[in-house]
Amino acid sequence: MDNQLDNIVPVLAIANKYSLQEAINGACELVREARRILEEAEKRVPLPTGNADLDGQIKRYIQACKDLVAGS
């Protein structure tokens, strides 16, 4: 074991002296807030651009960001 934490829940619990449930709730709130910010940013993306290839790239990038926020 390398003594590294690879999950946000124990990081929140240790850093904030949270109970396990408080840390889980905090992690969920962080994900919800990140998703909200991402969805707001997505609304400002100027699509279509007039370039189908570029539109496809932008849509794939946005989906990858959503997948990252969701942890998938």
Side-chain angles (χ1 to χ4, degrees):
M1 175 75 73
D2 57 13
N3 293 323
Q4 292 185 356
L5 299 174
D6 60 357
N7 187 301
I8 191 69
V9 173
V11 172
L12 290 173
I14 293 166
N16 299 297
K17 295 183 172 58
Y18 285 169
S19 69
L20 178 58
Q21 188 60 56
E22 289 171 323
I24 291 169
N25 293 347
C28 290
E29 185 55 37
L30 289 171
V31 170
R32 280 190 293 272
E33 180 64 9
R35 181 67 186 223
R36 185 194 65 74
I37 291 168
L38 177 60
E39 288 173 352
E40 287 298 316
E42 183 180 11
K43 292 175 187 174
R44 295 189 302 271
V45 174
L47 284 177
T49 64
N51 179 324
D53 184 52
L54 179 60
D55 290 353
Q57 290 177 33
I58 292 170
K59 289 176 184 177
R60 284 190 298 280
Y61 180 79
I62 290 170
Q63 187 58 52
C65 291
K66 288 178 180 180
D67 292 345
L68 182 64
V69 167
S72 52

